Coordinates of all heavy atoms in Angstrom, one line a residue:
Chain A
M1 N 104.2 132.9 124.7 CA 104.0 133.5 123.4 C 105.3 133.3 122.6 O 106.4 133.4 123.1 CB 103.8 135.0 123.6 CG 103.4 135.7 122.3 SD 103.2 137.5 122.7 CE 104.1 138.2 121.3
S2 N 105.2 132.9 121.3 CA 106.4 132.8 120.5 C 106.3 133.6 119.2 O 105.2 133.9 118.8 CB 106.6 131.3 120.2 OG 105.6 130.9 119.3
L3 N 107.5 133.9 118.7 CA 107.6 134.8 117.5 C 108.4 134.0 116.5 O 109.3 133.2 116.8 CB 108.5 136.0 117.8 CG 108.2 136.9 119.0 CD1 109.4 137.8 119.2 CD2 106.9 137.6 118.8
I5 N 111.0 134.7 113.6 CA 111.9 135.7 113.0 C 112.8 135.0 112.0 O 112.9 133.8 112.0 CB 112.7 136.4 114.1 CG1 113.6 135.3 114.9 CG2 111.9 137.2 115.1 CD1 114.5 135.9 115.9
I6 N 113.5 135.8 111.3 CA 114.5 135.2 110.3 C 115.9 135.6 110.8 O 116.2 136.8 111.0 CB 114.3 135.8 108.9 CG1 112.8 135.5 108.5 CG2 115.3 135.2 107.9 CD1 112.5 135.0 107.2
V7 N 116.8 134.7 111.0 CA 118.1 134.9 111.5 C 119.1 134.4 110.5 O 119.1 133.2 110.2 CB 118.4 134.3 112.9 CG1 119.7 134.7 113.4 CG2 117.3 134.7 113.9
N8 N 119.9 135.2 109.9 CA 120.9 134.8 108.9 C 120.3 134.0 107.8 O 120.8 132.9 107.4 CB 122.1 134.1 109.6 CG 123.0 135.0 110.4 OD1 122.7 136.3 110.4 ND2 124.0 134.5 111.0
G9 N 119.1 134.4 107.4 CA 118.4 133.7 106.3 C 117.6 132.5 106.7 O 116.9 131.9 105.9
E10 N 117.6 132.1 108.0 CA 116.9 130.9 108.4 C 115.7 131.3 109.3 O 115.9 132.2 110.2 CB 117.8 130.0 109.3 CG 118.9 129.3 108.5 CD 119.8 128.5 109.4 OE1 119.3 128.0 110.5 OE2 121.0 128.4 109.1
R12 N 113.4 131.1 112.5 CA 113.6 130.6 113.8 C 112.5 131.0 114.7 O 111.8 132.0 114.4 CB 114.9 131.2 114.5 CG 116.1 131.2 113.7 CD 116.9 129.8 113.8 NE 117.5 129.7 115.0 CZ 118.5 128.8 115.3 NH1 118.9 128.0 114.3 NH2 119.0 128.6 116.4
T13 N 112.2 130.3 115.7 CA 111.1 130.6 116.6 C 111.8 131.0 118.0 O 112.8 130.4 118.4 CB 110.2 129.4 116.9 OG1 109.8 128.9 115.6 CG2 109.0 129.8 117.7
S18 N 115.0 140.6 124.3 CA 115.8 141.6 123.7 C 116.8 141.0 122.8 O 117.1 139.8 122.9 CB 116.5 142.4 124.8 OG 117.5 141.6 125.4
L20 N 119.9 141.5 122.9 CA 121.0 141.1 123.8 C 120.8 139.7 124.4 O 121.6 138.8 124.3 CB 121.2 142.1 124.9 CG 122.4 141.8 125.9 CD1 123.7 141.8 125.1 CD2 122.4 142.8 127.0
S25 N 121.3 133.7 124.2 CA 120.6 132.4 124.1 C 121.3 131.5 123.0 O 121.3 130.3 123.1 CB 119.1 132.5 123.9 OG 118.9 132.9 122.5
E27 N 124.5 131.7 122.6 CA 125.9 131.7 123.0 C 126.8 132.5 122.2 O 127.9 132.1 121.8 CB 126.4 130.2 123.1 CG 125.6 129.4 124.2 CD 126.0 127.9 124.1 OE1 127.2 127.6 123.9 OE2 125.1 127.1 124.3
D29 N 128.9 136.0 121.8 CA 129.4 137.1 122.6 C 129.0 138.4 121.8 O 129.5 138.7 120.7 CB 130.9 137.0 122.7 CG 131.6 138.1 123.4 OD1 130.9 139.1 123.8 OD2 132.8 138.0 123.6
A34 N 128.4 142.0 114.8 CA 127.6 143.1 114.4 C 126.3 142.6 114.0 O 126.1 141.5 113.5 CB 128.3 143.8 113.2
L37 N 119.3 144.8 112.0 CA 117.9 144.5 112.2 C 117.1 145.1 111.1 O 117.1 146.3 110.9 CB 117.5 145.1 113.6 CG 116.0 144.9 113.9 CD1 115.6 143.4 114.0 CD2 115.7 145.6 115.3
I41 N 121.9 148.7 110.5 CA 122.8 148.4 111.6 C 122.1 148.7 113.0 O 121.5 149.8 113.1 CB 124.1 149.3 111.5 CG1 124.8 149.0 110.3 CG2 124.9 149.1 112.8 CD1 125.7 147.7 110.3
L42 N 122.2 147.8 113.9 CA 121.7 148.0 115.2 C 123.0 148.3 116.1 O 123.8 147.4 116.3 CB 121.0 146.8 115.7 CG 120.3 146.9 117.1 CD1 119.1 147.9 117.0 CD2 119.8 145.6 117.6
K44 N 125.6 148.6 119.1 CA 125.7 147.7 120.2 C 125.0 148.2 121.5 O 124.4 147.4 122.2 CB 127.2 147.5 120.5 CG 127.9 146.6 119.6 CD 129.3 146.3 120.1 CE 130.2 145.8 119.0 NZ 129.8 144.5 118.4
G45 N 125.0 149.5 121.6 CA 124.3 150.1 122.8 C 122.8 149.9 122.8 O 122.1 150.2 123.8
Y47 N 121.3 146.9 121.9 CA 121.0 145.5 122.0 C 120.0 145.2 123.1 O 119.1 144.4 123.0 CB 122.2 144.6 122.1 CG 123.1 144.5 120.9 CD1 124.3 143.8 121.0 CD2 122.8 145.2 119.7 CE1 125.2 143.7 119.9 CE2 123.7 145.1 118.6 CZ 124.8 144.4 118.7 OH 125.7 144.3 117.7
T50 N 116.4 146.8 122.6 CA 115.6 146.5 121.4 C 114.9 145.1 121.6 O 115.6 144.1 121.7 CB 116.5 146.5 120.2 OG1 117.1 147.8 120.1 CG2 115.7 146.2 118.9
L52 N 112.7 141.9 120.2 CA 112.4 141.3 118.9 C 110.9 141.3 118.7 O 110.1 141.1 119.7 CB 112.9 139.8 119.0 CG 114.5 139.7 118.9 CD1 114.9 138.2 119.1 CD2 115.0 140.2 117.6
Q54 N 107.6 140.0 115.9 CA 107.2 139.0 114.9 C 107.7 139.5 113.5 O 107.5 140.7 113.1 CB 105.7 138.9 114.9 CG 105.1 138.1 113.8 CD 105.4 136.6 113.9 OE1 105.7 136.1 115.0 NE2 105.5 135.9 112.8
V61 N 126.7 138.9 112.1 CA 128.0 138.6 111.4 C 129.2 138.8 112.4 O 129.1 139.4 113.4 CB 128.2 139.5 110.2 CG1 127.1 139.4 109.2 CG2 128.5 141.0 110.6
F63 N 133.9 138.4 112.4 CA 135.1 138.3 111.5 C 135.6 136.9 111.4 O 135.6 136.1 112.4 CB 136.2 139.2 112.1 CG 135.9 140.6 112.1 CD1 136.2 141.4 113.2 CD2 135.4 141.2 110.9 CE1 136.0 142.8 113.1 CE2 135.2 142.6 110.9 CZ 135.4 143.4 112.0

Side-chain angles (χ1 to χ4, degrees):
Chain A
M1 190 183 133
S2 71
L3 311 169
I5 59 173
I6 306 222
V7 185
N8 289 356
E10 291 174 31
R12 310 278 287 197
T13 306
S18 69
L20 183 63
S25 77
E27 295 173 40
D29 178 354
L37 176 60
I41 296 282
L42 186 67
K44 284 192 200 294
Y47 290 177
T50 304
L52 290 172
Q54 174 66 30
V61 303
F63 292 136

